Every structure is written in structure tokens, then in C-alpha cells.
Amino acid sequence: MIARRTRVLLLLLGATAALTATGVAAGEALGRLAEARAEAVRLEARIGQLREEAARAAAAVVERDAIRVEVEARAARRYAAGTMNPYAFATLAKARLSSLGVTVLRYQVVEGGTHPGVDVTATGSVRSFVAFLRGISEDGRLWIVPSLEIELHPVDGSADVRLRIGYATDDGAGR
Amino acid sequence: MRLERGELAGGRVARAGTGPFDALLVSRLDVDLLVLDIPPIPDRDLEGLVRYKLRSRYPGNPGQTSFDYRVAHRGKIRRAIVFVARTSTVEAYRAAAGRRPLVAPCQLVAGRVPRRGPFTAWIGDGRWAEVLEFRDGVLVSSRVVHRGNGDWRTAAGSSAPALVVAPGKDLEGLACGDGTTSLPLESIRLRRAGLKGLFPGPGPGPTVSPGVRTALLVASVLVLGVLVLFRFARREEARVDRLQGMARSMEQEALASHALRQETDSLLLERDRLDAGVPPDRYRLLAELSAVLGNTARVWAIELRDDRFQFEAAGSDPLALMEAMKARDGFDGLQLSPVVPDTASGTERFSISGIFHDR
């Protein structure tokens, strides 16, 4: 027979061990629960951000496609590298002006730079010059007019023009 | 409940029958019955009082005696119906009955005793008969007569009973006269509900002290609590796994979006490169000027250089023209030169310069 005091002490020891083990297990469970919840909160916030980015992605695709169309259209108007030179361009410019009834009084080929071309001094009707500018605005290849001086004569509707006309290549070298 | 009769023989309890039974009727030759008047004391003190009174009323050795009791009361009358037997006898009956209850003969008539007036009942077996005297529904006395002594009535020495319970074959030879109800013992069916057997067994297993029960209960609650916590933790971890999977797939889509943004940025740079050094469309500029000037002014010189323009004109209201140009998209940095009125023509000579954007 175990003495009563010993029995009580053994019971206390057993209870303490049981409570300690329960406390340790509960602590671990609570720790895991807290960690999991914190991680879940972080992930939910991240998923919220990713959802917003995904929503913007659809609009970004549309924007990219629109810019690509712009860039392709602009690049397509440039002369391919090596297909144009300032002298051939000057010939084209003179012929175009002449076809509109403009009289070329003087011209000088401009080589080098990003937009080589020709400086032209001409005279003709205002309509002819407007038609020339509309033509190079609307037609396929990009002709650039870096400078333009027009002196109008309202009496007969004519104008004296000094302008530089240039061209652009797709490599940006102007050759 | 089917009743079986038992009787001690050779240290063991013999049954009168062989078939199945639900309760075992103890013999009055083996179990004594005492009727004790008891004072109004708490129920927890009742057992001690009965035990004390038995010392003077029962001759057996208290260390070898077992007793059970029932309390009967009516009005101010309070009595303990005490069933006493040797412990070995009780153990023999318990062994014969197993888990079935032990029933005393007086319990067979309990439901048939009138609540008013005297009532006598005989309950007999093959060799003995118990004479029970009731008054106002409460047992007053019980005595056992041996049938071996002769006829029941002679042995009973009392007037005819109101009720006789005995085996059917015994009832046939028993003439009790009018006013006596005979009831075959075999026909009695006890109701299980409310029946409390005599000398109940120790129970299906060792009893657990209240302290240990409490400790086990607390331990169970703590363990369950810990298990529930682990369950919650596992469920939350499973949720984290699902969220991680979702985030991973969305991260991959985000990488694709990042690549898309980089491509868009590259296209914008390319567009800027293509636009670099390209002046505004000259035809569009002249068209805008024509639209804003209308017939309000006559231009005689225009100069365009890169994105800047300047024109000289004469008109009626250059200030209104400036306002109109400022309101239109595409014109920036507009400046109006000093205006010189021409009194001869009634117009004003001016020049306007600025910047034109066609994109």
C-alpha cells in the first residue's frame, strides 16, 4: 500500500506533467495557428494586388497593340536604308513641284544629318504649294519640311517660297 | 418481467424452473423481513440507524450479515422495510440471478394494497407462506409460516386474507372463502421501470471516485481542446497552401504583364525615336491657321521652322484672333507682336508666333 502522502505527491506529479504536456501541445498548436493566419493575411493581400494588376493587364494589351500599330505605320513611311540618296530625292522633289505648276528658281542638295534633302527656292500659286504640302502629308513616304518661308502676294494669289525638304530612313541614318 | 422462484439449498440457490427469467424471487426462508418505525431523520443517516437497530433486532453476526431496506411512509407514519440475510446467502442469490434483480415476495403485492384500511395478503411457495399485514397502505408486520406445519390457514392463524399469491397448483387446494382474491404466482408480471432489486450488485465494474472522475473529465476536456486547436491549425495551413498555389499562378501571370509593360515601354521609345526631329505636319498647320483666321485677317508672310511658326497679317481684330488660337488644341506659346493700326485700310498689322503640335 502506498502511503497517502506519497499517493498525493504522485498524483500532483502526474497532474503537473499532464498539464505541462497539454500546455506545450496547446502552445505549439496556437503557434502554428497564428503563423498560418499571418501568412494567410499576407497572401490574401498579395493576391489582391495581383488581381488589380491582372485587371490592368487587359487595358495594357490594348494600349500596347495601339502603340505598335502607330510605330509600324510611322516606320512604314520611312525609306528603307540604302534605297534613297539626297540626289534622287532632290529629283523627286523638283518633279513633284513642277508637276503642280511650281517654278523652281534655285535648289541645293543637302547631304548628311538625319534628314538629308534639298533646299528649294520656288514661286507659284498658293494653291500649288498647299497642294504640294497636302500631298506629302497624306502620301505614303515621309517627307519632312524642317523649314518653310512663304511670302504671299494677295493680288495674284502667288507666293514665293523657300523651303527645305528632307526624307527619313528606317535606320535613322538618313542614307 | 418473468419471475423465477429461488431457494437456498446446499449453499447454492436452486431455481424452481429452468426457462429464462427476468427477476429472481427470494425465499422468505432465506431472507428475513423486519418492519422498523423510524423517526424523521435525513435519508443519509437512515442506513446508519437501520444498521444500529438491527444489532438489537437481528441475531446474526453483523460482520456476516447483509441488509437492504425500503422506506414506506404515509402521513406521519414512516417505516423502514428491512430485508436481512447472511452475506453468503445474498452472494448465492446474486450468483444465481446474475444481473437480474432480486425481488422480495412483498414487492409482488405492492401495487394491489389499498391506501385505506387493513389489508392482509398471503404469499406462498411450496414450503412456506408469508403473511403480510398492511394498514392504510403501509406494511405493519410480516411473518413466515411453514406449510409443513399443516394447512395455511391454521398456520397463518388469521382471518381470511384479501389476496393470496401462490403457485397455481397450490391455489387449487386452497379454499379461502368469498372476498379473497387468488392470484397465481406464475401470472405475475413485474414492470421493469421503477423496480429496484434487493441487495443490488456492485455494478458492471469498479467504481471510480468522484475525484478521479473529475480529473478524467478535466483531462478529456484539455485533450479535446488541444486536438481542436491542432485541427484549426491544420485547416488554416491547408488554406495557406491553397492561397500559395493561387498566388503562384497569379505571379506567373504578373510576370507576363511585366513583360507586356516592358514591350510597351520599348514601343514608346521607338515611337519617340521615330518622332525625333520630325517637325509638325506643315499642311495640317496651314489648315489650322486657315481655319482660325478665316476671313478675319489676310496673311502675307509665314515662316515655319521646326515646331515654331510665325506669320504676319493684317486684320480687323488681332486680339480676338489670339483668343481663338489659344482656345484651339495644338497651339502653344502664342505671342502677339505690337499691333500697328493702318488708318488707311482700317485694319491692324500684327504678327503672331508660337509653337504647333500635331500629335
Side-chain angles (χ1 to χ4, degrees):
Chain A
M1 289 287 289
I2 303 176
R4 184 173 182 276
R5 187 164 179 269
T6 306
R7 193 166 65 238
V8 168
L9 286 173
L10 283 173
L11 281 172
L12 280 175
L13 180 64
T16 304
L19 282 173
T20 304
T22 305
V24 168
E28 181 177 342
L30 284 171
R32 280 172 58 179
L33 182 61
E35 274 183 32
R37 282 192 174 155
E39 181 68 7
V41 166
R42 187 190 71 77
L43 285 169
E44 281 175 340
R46 179 65 185 143
I47 288 171
Q49 289 176 344
L50 292 170
R51 279 205 178 107
E52 288 178 3
E53 288 184 19
R56 286 194 292 269
V61 167
V62 173
E63 181 190 3
R64 185 223 32 210
D65 292 345
I67 295 172
R68 179 183 287 159
V69 166
E70 268 186 62
V71 168
E72 288 173 353
R74 290 180 200 202
R77 293 191 68 196
R78 290 168 175 252
Y79 287 99
T83 61
M84 182 55 69
N85 62 73
Y87 297 93
F89 181 76
T91 304
L92 285 175
K94 279 175 52 193
R96 195 163 191 165
L97 286 168
S98 298
S99 70
L100 292 171
V102 172
T103 305
V104 175
L105 301 175
R106 182 175 175 273
Y107 68 90
Q108 179 173 5
V109 173
V110 176
E111 294 181 88
T114 55
H115 303 128
V118 58
D119 281 341
V120 175
T121 302
T123 185
S125 68
V126 173
R127 285 178 188 274
S128 299
F129 284 112
V130 171
F132 174 75
L133 291 174
R134 184 172 64 202
I136 66 175
S137 171
E138 296 172 354
D139 285 355
R141 293 296 176 188
L142 179 62
W143 285 20
I144 299 163
V145 181
S147 63
L148 171 65
E149 295 175 28
I150 304 176
E151 193 173 329
L152 295 154
H153 305 294
V155 174
D156 57 1
S158 66
D160 298 327
V161 173
R162 282 188 300 278
L163 73 161
R164 173 172 288 191
I165 316 169
Y167 65 92
T169 56
D170 55 7
D171 62 351
R175 291 186 289 275
Chain B
M1 295 175 71
R2 287 160 299 183
L3 204 57
E4 177 64 276
R5 291 172 287 149
E7 188 168 317
L8 194 64
R12 301 178 66 179
V13 170
R15 292 167 49 199
T18 55
F21 64 100
D22 300 311
L24 188 62
L25 183 69
V26 300
S27 168
R28 283 291 275 111
L29 298 180
D30 301 325
V31 177
D32 289 324
L33 188 150
L34 301 174
V35 180
L36 304 176
D37 288 322
I38 54 176
I41 60 171
D43 288 345
R44 64 174 181 273
D45 297 331
L46 207 52
E47 182 176 336
L49 176 66
V50 169
R51 193 185 302 277
Y52 173 75
K53 288 199 171 193
L54 278 180
R55 284 184 190 157
S56 57
R57 296 283 298 271
Y58 189 74
N61 182 351
Q64 297 174 353
T65 302
S66 296
F67 72 92
D68 195 358
Y69 65 94
R70 300 286 181 271
V71 177
H73 56 87
R74 182 164 178 80
K76 293 183 180 178
I77 299 171
R78 201 155 179 250
R79 292 198 178 107
I81 314 302
V82 184
F83 305 91
V84 194
R86 293 170 64 87
T87 301
S88 58
T89 302
V90 173
E91 288 171 355
Y93 269 97
R94 284 252 57 88
R99 290 178 178 270
R100 304 176 189 85
L102 299 175
V103 179
C106 63
Q107 290 179 284
L108 302 180
V109 301
R112 301 173 195 276
V113 177
R115 294 169 65 83
R116 286 263 182 262
F119 183 85
T120 301
W122 291 358
I123 303 176
D125 196 347
R127 294 193 296 125
W128 57 269
E130 181 177 17
V131 179
L132 297 165
E133 301 283 355
F134 294 86
R135 179 170 291 280
D136 296 335
V138 180
L139 183 65
V140 176
S141 67
S142 166
R143 58 192 176 91
V144 177
V145 297
H146 290 265
R147 288 194 61 196
N149 295 338
D151 181 63
W152 277 32
R153 283 181 294 174
T154 304
S158 68
S159 57
L163 174 66
V164 176
V165 178
K169 61 178 176 21
D170 291 346
L171 285 177
E172 290 171 3
L174 188 66
C176 299
D178 298 336
T180 298
T181 302
S182 297
L183 194 61
L185 188 63
E186 299 85 354
S187 69
I188 290 183
R189 291 288 182 266
L190 296 172
R191 270 184 279 187
R192 196 181 302 271
L195 177 67
K196 191 180 174 188
L198 298 180
F199 307 110
T207 56
V208 180
S209 68
V212 173
R213 274 204 298 268
T214 304
L216 285 175
L217 184 63
V218 169
S220 302
V221 168
L222 287 176
V223 168
L224 278 173
V226 170
L227 288 175
V228 165
L229 279 176
F230 272 108
R231 176 85 175 92
F232 277 135
R234 273 197 294 271
R235 194 169 63 178
E236 203 66 18
E237 285 166 352
R239 180 166 160 250
V240 167
D241 289 340
R242 283 195 305 273
L243 288 173
Q244 282 175 339
M246 197 185 302
R248 263 196 300 274
S249 68
M250 293 180 81
E251 292 276 4
Q252 288 177 351
E253 292 175 11
L255 283 177
S257 293
H258 182 64
L260 176 65
R261 280 197 299 275
Q262 285 184 326
E263 185 183 355
T264 303
D265 291 341
S266 297
L267 287 170
L268 286 171
L269 286 175
E270 176 65 10
R271 188 180 69 178
D272 291 342
R273 186 189 72 78
L274 291 171
D275 289 345
V278 176
D281 187 295
R282 300 313 185 185
Y283 172 72
R284 187 162 166 225
L285 170 59
L286 294 180
E288 287 288 320
L289 284 177
S290 173
V292 72
L293 287 168
N295 296 323
T296 61
R298 182 160 294 197
V299 178
W300 69 77
I302 300 175
E303 183 176 345
L304 309 177
R305 196 165 299 278
D306 299 322
D307 60 350
R308 296 196 63 83
F309 69 90
Q310 181 175 351
F311 66 87
E312 297 177 23
S316 59
D317 192 352
L319 297 176
L321 179 60
M322 273 294 286
E323 284 185 40
M325 289 183 70
K326 282 185 175 181
R328 289 183 83 90
D329 290 334
F331 293 111
D332 274 331
L334 295 172
Q335 288 183 333
L336 177 65
S337 68
V339 178
V340 179
D342 184 350
T343 53
S345 60
T347 60
E348 297 177 340
R349 297 169 64 95
F350 62 92
S351 74
I352 293 177
S353 63
I355 295 173
F356 178 71
H357 308 283
D358 65 345
R359 289 183 277 270

